[in-house]
Amino acid sequence: MLENKNVLKIISLIIAILLWVYVMGEVNPDTKEKISDIEVTFVNTETLADEGLAVVHEQDLRVSAIVKGKRSVINEMKKTGLTATVDVADASEGKNRGKVELELPSGVTLDSISDDTISYRVEKSIEVKKTVEIDFVGDAGNDKDLVPWAYDMYPDTVTVTGAESVVNEVDAVRGKITSNVVSESPKTVEVELMAVKKDGTEVQGVVLNHSKAKTTVRLMETRDVDVTITSKNMENGKEVDSISGVDSVKVVGTSEALADLDSVSATVDVSDIKSQGKKELNFSLPTGVYLYNKGNSTEVTVKIKTAQ
């Protein structure tokens, strides 16, 4: 008798499991699910751009939502992710508020959302040109006193476009290259570019007219050389009293290019200096030699006096 009861319990458990599998797999019940960290993006920004305007990008602009639908559809949706957008086509300069729209797959409906509208700001759009800079990361892995170097960059300048306050945060446009891919033989590599602040963090919400650049990389030698400075565009009746601040600079190049190099030439434009001012040097370097200006200032102080 007891044995029959145990058999019945086992059979009942098996039937319950089979029914649960059937309900979950075949009947596919409706369910509710909370989706968090949905990134909000702005659409129709090109309409603003045509009017010389741009959205001030807010970092980590995200919402959460509770959605309803078939379990299988929601599970698949969770794999592909959800998109939330705000249409800015009709926005104007200054503060705006826009409706958050969720792009839901067929069979899924919105139950609730953490923020159905968001506030954002629109500013005048500006553009600036920045010289592309390369950062080498990691150990070059060579036993010689060589440094990785990038040259023959294309493009060597990039236009950065966006809201005025955001573009003004951009210090440089940089790409990163792993040092251990560089050898003593020249190699062409492609690098992803991003706009960064002075502290190296990425500036969100700007557009680069080139997202990638190609450059030649190679391990090269460095050398400290003297600088011979001459002035140009001197006002009549005036002459240089003194130029101070830079006596030598570090340059980089192949061993052949640096073989007999002891000094380099530079000019300083003094056209707008009346008595004293600070100016950047303009270098004239031999072919295959580059200014290794990391941490080195090339600004000089020029003093002007009446010609004797």
Side-chain angles (χ1 to χ4, degrees), residues 235-256:
E235 183 183 346
N236 289 335
K238 299 285 187 178
E239 64 181 14
V240 171
D241 184 22
S242 65
I243 299 176
S244 60
V246 176
D247 297 316
S248 65
V249 292
K250 187 185 288 286
V251 294
V252 60
T254 62
S255 56
E256 296 81 9

Side-chain angles (χ1 to χ4, degrees), residues 91-226:
S92 57
E93 188 173 354
K95 291 183 179 180
N96 292 265
R97 193 161 194 89
K99 182 174 176 58
V100 178
E101 298 284 356
L102 280 182
E103 296 181 12
L104 298 171
S106 177
V108 177
T109 58
L110 178 64
D111 183 75
S112 63
I113 188 170
S114 59
D115 298 286
D116 57 358
T117 64
I118 62 160
S119 60
Y120 61 94
R121 198 166 74 256
V122 171
E123 292 180 357
K124 290 180 181 178
S125 177
I126 65 170
E127 60 179 42
V128 297
K129 285 189 176 182
K130 294 288 183 179
T131 301
V132 175
E133 301 175 9
I134 296 297
D135 289 332
F136 289 95
V137 294
D139 187 2
N142 67 90
D143 297 329
K144 301 179 181 179
D145 188 19
L146 303 174
V147 296
W149 194 252
Y151 58 100
D152 291 344
M153 185 85 61
Y154 181 81
D156 59 357
T157 60
V158 169
T159 300
V160 184
T161 306
E164 185 174 13
S165 64
V166 182
V167 173
N168 287 337
E169 293 182 343
V170 178
D171 178 63
V173 171
R174 291 201 180 111
K176 290 184 178 180
I177 298 175
T178 305
S179 296
N180 61 15
V181 306
V182 187
S183 68
E184 293 184 55
S185 299
K187 178 191 298 183
T188 300
V189 297
E190 187 174 65
V191 59
E192 296 278 349
L193 301 178
M194 67 176 181
V196 297
K197 302 177 184 179
K198 284 186 177 181
D199 63 4
T201 58
E202 185 175 7
V203 178
Q204 302 285 347
V206 295
V207 177
L208 307 182
N209 68 330
H210 294 281
S211 61
K212 297 179 180 180
K214 285 188 177 180
T215 185
T216 303
V217 295
R218 185 177 182 176
L219 291 174
M220 293 189 177
E221 295 183 7
T222 62
R223 177 177 296 181
D224 290 318
V225 296
D226 294 333

